[in-house]
Amino acid sequence: MKVLTIHHLKQREDDFCFGIEGELALPSLVCDSKRCGCDRAFGGLNSHQASTTLMVRDLDLTYDDVVTAYLAYLESAGWAALLRTSGGDDEVLRYAQDMVAEALAFASNYPDRQVVRVKFDRKTDDWKVLAA
Ligand SMILES: [Zn+2]
């Protein structure tokens, strides 16, 4: 299945990548600052670090594999504990499934090995993914 992964590609002066090449990448929470870059980067599930460029990779993973990886990320980052306070384990799973569905939908629009960029639209509260 095609997934989004961290990719090191410094094409532009304002590109950054602190993640690990090839690790799974998913949308992160976006803060209010317009300067920190979280609104134009996805985070790596293992490193917890972000990148402005991602690569679509067709990997031997199932939907459940990706959800499990994202759940592990939520636990290790501390977000699962926060989510549990409002809706228990169901809320954690629902949040993970929503994020994974969004990321997989983005990846499905591009061929294997396509480099993409992400941008959070603060007006629509939605991520956009575009070919780099
Ligand atoms: Zn931020």
Side-chain angles (χ1 to χ4, degrees):
M1 119 181 316
K2 286 188 286 186
V3 295
L4 295 176
T5 63
I6 295 292
H7 183 55
H8 288 251
L9 178 67
K10 190 154 173 66
Q11 275 184 330
R12 298 190 324 209
E13 191 59 36
D14 63 348
D15 275 337
F16 60 81
C17 179
F18 303 106
I20 301 165
E21 178 75 29
E23 70 176 313
L24 289 173
L26 285 174
S28 305
L29 295 176
V30 176
C31 75
D32 290 334
S33 169
K34 292 182 176 143
R35 295 187 2 214
C36 88
C38 65
D39 61 352
R40 58 187 182 90
F42 275 12
L45 295 192
N46 292 55
S47 67
H48 297 204
Q49 302 293 313
S51 178
T52 53
T53 56
L54 307 170
M55 179 179 276
V56 174
R57 287 185 167 98
D58 194 358
L59 301 178
D60 189 18
L61 292 173
T62 66
Y63 170 78
D64 287 346
D65 292 337
V66 180
V67 170
T68 298
Y70 198 62
L71 285 170
Y73 162 77
L74 291 174
E75 291 291 346
S76 64
W79 293 115
L82 190 64
L83 290 164
R84 249 180 224 110
T85 63
S86 63
D89 287 341
D90 289 348
E91 181 63 20
V92 179
L93 180 60
R94 189 169 28 255
Y95 187 85
Q97 289 171 331
D98 286 351
M99 289 295 106
V100 168
E102 185 174 24
L104 294 179
F106 289 142
S108 73
N109 291 329
Y110 295 98
D112 188 29
R113 313 295 290 176
Q114 174 71 53
V115 177
V116 297
R117 291 178 186 282
V118 297
K119 179 70 185 160
F120 187 75
D121 185 331
R122 292 174 188 272
K123 289 178 189 154
T124 62
D125 207 28
D126 232 355
W127 286 98
K128 305 273 185 281
V129 177
L130 301 167

